[in-house]
Amino acid sequence: MPIRVLLFFSKEQRRTTISSLYTVQTCSCAHQNRRYRAKTSWSVLSRMLRELKQLHLKMLILPEFGILIASLVFFCLWWHIKRSHLQRCTSLNTVTHLPIRQNGLAATIDSSASFQNSVVVQQPEYVAKNTKLSWWSQNHKDTLPSVSGIPRYSYKDIQKATENFKTILGQGSFGTVYKATMPTSEVVAVKVLASDSKHGEKEFQTEVSLLGRLHHRNLVNLVGYCVDKGQHMLIYEYMSNGSLEKVLYGEELDTLSWDERLQIALDISHGIEYLHEGAVPPVVHRDLKSANILLDHSMRAKVADFGLSKVELFDGRTSSLKGTYGYMDPAYISTSKPTVKSDIYSFGVIIFELMTAIHPHQNLMDYVNLASMQADGIDEILDKRLVGKCNPAEARELARVAYRCLRRSPRKRPTIAEVSQSILKIKQRHLSREETVSFAGDDITRMISRIEDQQVELSKMEVTVLKKHEKLIMEDRLVVSKAWQKLEWQTLRPFEEGSAA
Ligand SMILES: Nc1ncnc2c1ncn2[C@@H]1O[C@H](COP(=O)(O)OP(=O)(O)OP(=O)(O)O)[C@@H](O)[C@H]1O
C-alpha cells in the first residue's frame, strides 16, 4: 500500500484502511480453503471500497491505488479460474476419497460416478515399478488417461508384444487369452475382450478399476490395459502353470503333491481374505472356481478373474445371478443376494476339488454328501494319486473345514479368516510331521553309513590279518625247508664220505 495514498486519510480512516488491507493479506495466508479465502478477500475488498466511497475521496484516480486494486482483482479471478479447472480435472478420475483399512496401507473408497462402489487402494510400490513400462505408451500421443495409474497400451503395442496374437493360453467367456512379451522382457497374459462377449464394456471397466486398485500376492495382478481400435484388452501377470482346473483334470503326468495342495488351499484363502477383510467395503468375487485359480512357476496359487466381482453393498440391494454352476451357493441362488458367505461356499467346493480331483460338473457334491455320513468317508473319495502319499488325519481335518464352508445356512459358515487359520494349522502340523520323519530318516541313514564304514574297516582288517598269516606261513615253511635241508645234508654226509673213502 503506497504510503502516499494513506496521507490523504484521517487518522481513523488510515487505521481502518490499513487494518482492512492487513485482513486481506492474513486471510490469504491463514485459510486453507481457497474458496473461503477468495470469498473473504472479496467481501473485505468490497467493504473497503464501500468505506472509501463514503469518505468521498478520489482515491481511485491515483494510479498506484488503482493498479493495486486491479492486480488484486486479477489475482483473485485467476486463482478462482485455476481452482475450478483443477476441481473439474480431478472429478473426472476420482471424486471423493474416504480413508479405508487396507492391510496396513492407507486406502480410499472411490465414489466417482463412472466406477460406482469400487474399492480404491493407494497406488502400491508395484504400480511404481510398472511405470518403467510407460515409456512405451508415452510414444503414443493418442493415449487417453489411464485408469487407477495402470499403464495403458495401444493396439499396436499389444500386437507387437503378442507377435500378432500368436500364442493362445486359453479361452474364457470373456474372450481369448494370449501370451505376450513386453519390451522389458516381462512375460504377460493378454485377455482380449471378444466383441460378442456377453460381459461387454461395463465389465471391462469394472475389472480395470477394481483390479488396478487391489493388489495382493495371492491375486493375479493387472499390469496394463488397452482400449484402442474398438478393442478392449486386459494385461495380467503371467501364470506359467495355468489354471488349477487344468492341473487337476489335465493330462499332465506331474501330479500335485499333498503338500502343494495344502499350500494352494492356503494361498486361495489368503487371496479371498484380502478381498473380504482387507478391502473396505468387502469385495465379493462371485465366481470362485478352479478355472479362476491360477498357478505360478512354483505352483503358488492366485485368485483371478474379477470380471464378475462387485463390492458388497450394505443396503440389501439384490442383483442378477452371476457365477458358475456347481460352485454357486444355494442360498445365493434363492435370494439373489451375493454375500461374502457365497464365496466361502464356492471355496468349500474348491477344497473338495483339490482333495478328490472330482469336478463339480461330475457330481462332486453327491460324493461329498455320501462321504459326510462317515468320519473317514473322505478316504473313499480321495484323489487316487494321493493314496498312501498323504496323512489321512490331515485329509480328514481339511475335509472338516470344507464341510463347514458348505453349511446350508450362510451364517453358520466360517469367515475366511477362520478358514485361513484352520488351513494354516493343518499345514503347520504337516510340516512338523515331515520334519520329524526326515529327522528319523536322517538317523537311519547315518546308522547305515556307519555300519557300512565298519564293514569296510573289517574287511580291511581281514585282508591285513590274512596277509600277516600268509607271511608267517611262508616264513615257517622257509624255516622248515631249511631245517629239512640241513637234516638231509647231515644224514647223507657220512654215507657220502664213506663211499668216497
Ligand atoms: N494370467 C494368466 N496367465 C496364464 N494363463 C492365463 C492367465 N489368465 C488366463 N489364462 C488362461 O486362459 C484361460 C481362460 O481364462 P479366462 O479367465 O479368460 O477364462 P475362465 O476363467 O477359464 O472362464 P470364464 O471367463 O468363463 O470365467 C485360463 O483357463 C488359463 O488357462
Side-chain angles (χ1 to χ4, degrees):
M1 179 74 175
I3 304 293
R4 236 185 315 152
V5 175
L6 294 172
L7 292 176
F8 290 94
F9 288 56
S10 70
K11 200 178 170 189
E12 181 57 27
Q13 288 153 359
R14 249 183 267 159
R15 217 175 42 187
T16 322
T17 315
I18 288 168
S19 80
S20 299
L21 287 170
Y22 180 73
T23 316
V24 174
Q25 209 180 340
T26 48
C27 274
S28 64
C29 297
H31 297 282
Q32 288 296 316
N33 189 318
R34 294 170 183 175
R35 262 199 203 163
Y36 178 70
R37 192 167 55 190
K39 228 174 163 181
T40 317
S41 308
W42 272 114
S43 68
V44 168
L45 264 175
S46 53
R47 206 175 66 218
M48 195 183 82
L49 283 171
R50 249 183 284 123
E51 277 172 12
L52 286 173
K53 226 173 176 185
Q54 280 169 7
L55 290 168
H56 300 291
L57 288 170
K58 308 289 179 203
M59 298 303 302
L60 291 175
I61 55 165
L62 286 170
E64 288 93 338
F65 192 74
I67 289 166
L68 178 77
I69 297 294
S71 33
L72 271 171
V73 170
F74 177 75
F75 170 76
C76 288
L77 271 173
W78 169 81
W79 184 87
H80 183 72
I81 290 165
K82 197 179 169 196
R83 170 81 186 141
S84 39
H85 175 72
L86 268 172
Q87 272 183 340
R88 233 180 304 124
C89 286
T90 31
S91 69
L92 281 176
N93 294 322
T94 52
V95 178
T96 322
H97 288 86
L98 309 166
I100 66 163
R101 175 168 57 84
Q102 182 51 56
N103 279 5
L105 287 169
T108 51
I109 301 166
D110 184 350
S111 63
S112 77
S114 52
F115 302 126
Q116 275 184 356
N117 306 308
S118 57
V119 172
V120 183
V121 176
Q122 257 186 6
Q123 198 161 305
E125 227 179 277
Y126 138 87
V127 175
K129 201 178 89 194
N130 278 301
T131 47
K132 66 184 173 196
L133 298 175
S134 61
W135 67 267
W136 209 22
S137 295
Q138 273 164 14
N139 299 329
H140 303 275
K141 300 237 164 46
D142 57 333
T143 54
L144 294 166
S146 72
V147 177
S148 327
I150 297 290
R152 182 177 173 168
Y153 299 100
S154 70
Y155 182 83
K156 241 180 162 181
D157 293 336
I158 305 300
Q159 199 176 24
K160 205 169 154 189
T162 55
E163 291 178 55
N164 207 14
F165 304 94
K166 197 173 87 179
T167 315
I168 295 177
L169 291 173
Q171 179 82 42
S173 54
F174 190 86
T176 313
V177 183
Y178 297 90
K179 191 175 177 178
T181 309
M182 302 307 257
T184 51
S185 310
E186 186 189 5
V187 181
V188 293
V190 178
K191 198 186 265 191
V192 181
L193 173 66
S195 47
D196 61 343
S197 163
K198 61 177 184 267
H199 297 328
E201 191 158 331
K202 195 167 162 252
E203 208 117 70
F204 180 80
Q205 282 189 336
T206 309
E207 189 132 353
V208 173
S209 67
L210 197 67
L211 261 182
R213 291 155 181 178
L214 294 171
H215 295 280
H216 188 267
R217 65 176 183 281
N218 296 117
L219 295 184
V220 178
N221 281 315
L222 185 76
V223 296
Y225 74 105
C226 164
V227 186
D228 196 9
K229 297 203 163 81
Q231 294 276 0
H232 299 86
M233 303 176 206
L234 292 166
I235 307 160
Y236 294 98
E237 59 180 310
Y238 177 62
M239 301 293 286
S240 56
N241 274 309
S243 72
L244 176 63
E245 187 184 46
K246 264 190 207 160
V247 174
L248 280 177
Y249 312 109
E251 278 144 26
E252 304 268 320
L253 286 175
D254 272 356
T255 176
L256 287 172
S257 68
W258 176 242
D259 191 36
E260 283 171 326
R261 292 183 207 219
L262 272 180
Q263 187 58 57
I264 289 169
L266 195 60
D267 286 339
I268 303 169
S269 74
H270 284 154
I272 303 171
E273 198 174 341
Y274 173 85
L275 293 175
H276 288 187
E277 295 179 9
V280 179
V283 173
V284 181
H285 188 290
R286 297 172 72 185
D287 197 22
L288 284 171
K289 55 179 177 178
S290 54
N292 281 340
I293 306 300
L294 298 182
L295 302 166
D296 69 8
H297 61 282
S298 52
M299 286 293 174
R300 295 298 296 265
K302 296 189 186 205
V303 177
D305 213 346
F306 291 86
L308 298 171
S309 301
K310 289 278 181 299
V311 171
E312 193 186 37
L313 299 167
F314 296 100
D315 60 358
R317 202 180 75 167
T318 56
S319 61
S320 61
L321 280 183
K322 281 176 180 180
T324 303
Y325 166 74
Y327 295 88
M328 273 162 89
D329 169 20
Y332 168 48
I333 297 173
S334 59
T335 61
S336 304
K337 190 187 163 202
T339 66
V340 286
K341 294 296 175 80
S342 334
D343 279 353
I344 298 288
Y345 181 92
S346 309
F347 183 39
V349 177
I350 297 174
I351 297 178
F352 276 122
E353 269 193 279
L354 261 170
M355 298 179 76
T356 63
I358 302 172
H359 201 282
H361 296 169
Q362 291 164 342
N363 309 321
L364 169 66
M365 290 319 287
D366 291 345
Y367 289 107
V368 166
N369 289 334
L370 269 177
S372 71
M373 291 173 182
Q374 286 175 329
D376 56 356
I378 190 69
D379 301 1
E380 305 295 319
I381 57 169
L382 205 64
D383 185 353
K384 299 274 172 292
R385 296 168 289 188
L386 285 178
V387 177
K389 289 176 188 162
C390 90
N391 185 302
E394 286 169 15
R396 284 172 211 160
E397 219 171 317
L398 187 62
R400 274 195 291 276
V401 176
Y403 278 123
R404 280 195 282 138
C405 294
L406 297 176
R407 279 179 185 155
R408 198 155 268 280
S409 164
R411 270 187 297 117
K412 287 185 181 161
R413 291 173 201 155
T415 63
I416 193 63
E418 287 165 347
V419 177
S420 294
Q421 273 301 312
S422 308
I423 301 173
L424 186 66
K425 273 186 201 154
I426 302 171
K427 172 93 184 147
Q428 280 167 346
R429 247 173 270 152
H430 169 76
L431 284 178
S432 57
R433 246 179 232 143
E434 272 204 333
E435 270 170 21
T436 321
V437 170
S438 77
F439 268 137
D442 275 359
D443 285 348
I444 293 165
T445 325
R446 239 178 284 141
M447 269 170 68
I448 291 171
S449 73
R450 221 180 298 152
I451 291 168
E452 278 172 354
D453 287 350
Q454 281 171 354
Q455 272 179 340
V456 174
E457 283 294 311
L458 274 174
S459 59
K460 272 184 196 166
M461 275 168 70
E462 207 176 5
V463 171
T464 334
V465 168
L466 273 174
K467 274 182 184 167
K468 269 186 189 168
H469 272 257
E470 270 176 21
K471 205 180 164 190
L472 281 173
I473 291 165
M474 288 294 283
E475 279 171 3
D476 284 351
R477 268 189 200 157
L478 209 70
V479 170
V480 170
S481 70
K482 271 183 186 168
W484 185 251
Q485 269 178 1
K486 201 177 175 184
L487 189 71
E488 215 175 34
W489 184 72
Q490 279 173 352
T491 327
L492 291 172
R493 200 170 155 213
F495 291 106
E496 280 173 4
E497 280 175 356
S499 61

